[in-house]
Amino acid sequence: MSKLVKPFRLPPMPSLSELVKLYKLRAIRQLSQNFLLDKNINDKIIRSAGIKKDSFVFEIGPGPGGLTRSAIEAGAKEIVVVEKDLRFMPGLQLLADAVTPTVNMKIFNGDAMTFPMGQHINRAYEVPWESDELPNANLIGNLPFNISTPLLFKLLLKVSDRNSVFACGRVPMTFLFQQEFGERMICPPGFKERSRVGIMTQAYCDVNIDFLIPNTAFVPPPKVNAACVTMIPLKKPRLKTKFEIVSKVVQAIFQFKNKNWIVGANTLYPKKYPEFLTRFNELCKVDQNKLPTDLDMIEIDQICSSYAQILDVFPELENYDHRISPHL
Ligand code: SAM
């Protein structure tokens, strides 16, 4: 079992539950607020993330700051947090003041979906992408469940482009998701839970459910349990085609989950021009009798690269959307 180093002890501060009472922090449902006030669980998440001494940490949605405190205790030396709800600012500032100057904690009131993360990472932590070693930096968060999918896709795009936080290298991410969402992220071929979320995650990262957290651990408890998930960007993605094309193809083939994958893939091409599909069938040798959920990464890679080869010749096809132009 990994040892939790405690190089830093927090100075006396109000406990998390005192903070919640002090600032009257009643959870707002629209912001998916389910607080984790249990120090043992927050410490366990930080151990899973592998936060080490003198590290850089970027946290999404710190709320009252339970996970932030555990990250600091584990040795984070620089910590940037972005929180949408203004009510948490005084409590977070209290924490930042208490740990200065040992820890450099920067607090931003903003939306993680649009926040320019890349501007706030310190490039001194950079490790080359191809290195076996990972940067001493982590992205963490007990995420607002209502933005799980768009935020995950945004981060995966940044991984594929190696920009923003990932300009520093293969920065590991440890997030809490709803259990069912986490299970979809790790699902291999052959199961009904296999989905676009799993394919996209596995295309760019090694992904693992570290442990589950019962819903009763949160205040207020959400309806379902959570999963602590760690993603480590891959040196080479499992799907070689560019992100936007992969995303379009995977979305197309998974729109009819219970039909053979070719039924969804057909919608990538206008019916009026059957020669596209003919060419695709010549290029792509994947068994057309398979369900999308049964395709492995090698097969999906073949489907994406066959489509990409057609785009090389007819780039305007990338803008074709069968929902917008069904008559074509
Ligand atoms: N980390 C805290 C904890 O574990 O107790 C709070 C977790 S709570 C599930 C999600 C947090 O994300 C809330 O504090 C909420 O205000 C914040 N949040 C919601 N949407 C956000 C967004 N778009 N950008 C940044 N923070 C957001």
Side-chain angles (χ1 to χ4, degrees), residues 17 56 77 110 297:
S17 48
F56 176 93
K77 189 174 158 199
M297 295 307 265

Side-chain angles (χ1 to χ4, degrees), residues 31-37 42 59-67 82-85 88 110-113 141-147:
L31 290 177
S32 288
Q33 289 180 342
N34 304 101
F35 307 129
L36 200 44
L37 308 179
N42 280 318
E59 184 182 358
I60 296 172
L67 198 56
V82 56
E83 168 58 59
K84 194 169 182 180
D85 188 341
F88 293 112
D111 185 337
M113 290 300 297
N142 172 9
L143 290 187
F145 292 152
N146 62 349
I147 59 165

Side-chain angles (χ1 to χ4, degrees), residues 175-188:
F175 296 127
L176 300 196
F177 291 105
Q178 289 183 331
Q179 177 177 348
E180 183 253 81
F181 190 87
E183 282 166 354
R184 281 198 281 138
M185 289 172 80
I186 63 161
C187 187

Side-chain angles (χ1 to χ4, degrees), residues 174-235:
T174 299
F175 296 127
L176 300 196
F177 291 105
Q178 289 183 331
Q179 177 177 348
E180 183 253 81
F181 190 87
E183 282 166 354
R184 281 198 281 138
M185 289 172 80
I186 63 161
C187 187
F191 294 85
K192 67 176 182 353
E193 292 79 12
R194 181 86 160 159
S195 66
R196 187 165 80 106
V197 160
I199 307 282
M200 295 305 286
T201 308
Q202 293 165 34
Y204 299 99
C205 296
D206 274 333
V207 53
N208 185 46
I209 292 188
D210 304 324
F211 61 98
L212 299 177
I213 306 173
N215 62 333
T216 48
F218 298 87
V219 180
K223 288 203 176 71
V224 293
N225 298 337
C228 176
V229 177
T230 292
M231 291 176 278
I232 299 183
L234 293 164
K235 283 187 197 171

